[in-house]
Coordinates of all heavy atoms in Angstrom, one line a residue:
R527 N 79.6 -53.2 -52.3 CA 79.0 -54.5 -52.3 C 77.5 -54.4 -52.0 O 77.2 -53.7 -51.0 CB 79.6 -55.5 -51.4 CG 78.9 -56.9 -51.4 CD 79.7 -57.9 -50.6 NE 79.7 -57.6 -49.2 CZ 80.4 -58.4 -48.4 NH1 81.2 -59.3 -48.7 NH2 80.4 -58.1 -47.0
D530 N 74.8 -57.6 -48.0 CA 75.1 -59.0 -47.7 C 74.8 -59.3 -46.3 O 75.6 -59.6 -45.4 CB 76.7 -59.2 -47.9 CG 77.1 -60.7 -47.8 OD1 76.2 -61.5 -48.0 OD2 78.3 -60.9 -47.5
R552 N 71.1 -65.8 -47.7 CA 72.2 -64.9 -47.5 C 72.5 -64.0 -48.7 O 72.3 -64.5 -49.8 CB 73.5 -65.7 -47.3 CG 74.0 -65.8 -45.9 CD 75.5 -66.3 -45.9 NE 76.4 -65.1 -45.9 CZ 77.7 -65.2 -45.8 NH1 78.2 -66.3 -46.0 NH2 78.4 -64.1 -45.7
M623 N 81.4 -61.6 -56.6 CA 82.4 -62.2 -55.6 C 82.3 -63.6 -55.8 O 81.3 -64.3 -56.0 CB 81.8 -61.8 -54.2 CG 82.1 -60.5 -53.9 SD 81.9 -60.2 -52.0 CE 83.4 -60.9 -51.3
E625 N 82.8 -66.7 -53.9 CA 83.0 -67.1 -52.5 C 82.3 -68.4 -52.2 O 82.2 -68.8 -51.0 CB 82.6 -66.0 -51.4 CG 81.4 -65.3 -51.8 CD 81.1 -64.0 -50.9 OE1 81.9 -63.8 -49.9 OE2 80.1 -63.3 -51.1
D649 N 84.7 -66.6 -47.0 CA 83.6 -67.5 -47.2 C 84.1 -68.6 -48.0 O 83.6 -69.9 -47.7 CB 82.4 -66.8 -47.8 CG 81.6 -66.1 -46.8 OD1 81.3 -66.7 -45.7 OD2 81.1 -65.0 -46.9
R659 N 82.9 -70.4 -40.1 CA 83.9 -69.4 -39.8 C 83.6 -68.8 -38.4 O 84.6 -68.0 -37.9 CB 83.9 -68.3 -40.9 CG 82.6 -67.5 -41.1 CD 82.6 -66.7 -42.3 NE 83.0 -65.3 -42.1 CZ 83.0 -64.4 -43.1 NH1 82.5 -64.7 -44.3 NH2 83.4 -63.2 -42.8
Ligands
MG815 MG1 81.8 -63.2 -47.7

Side-chain angles (χ1 to χ4, degrees):
R527 176 170 73 183
D530 185 24
R552 259 200 94 180
M623 287 190 77
E625 42 187 356
D649 277 315
R659 62 192 267 184

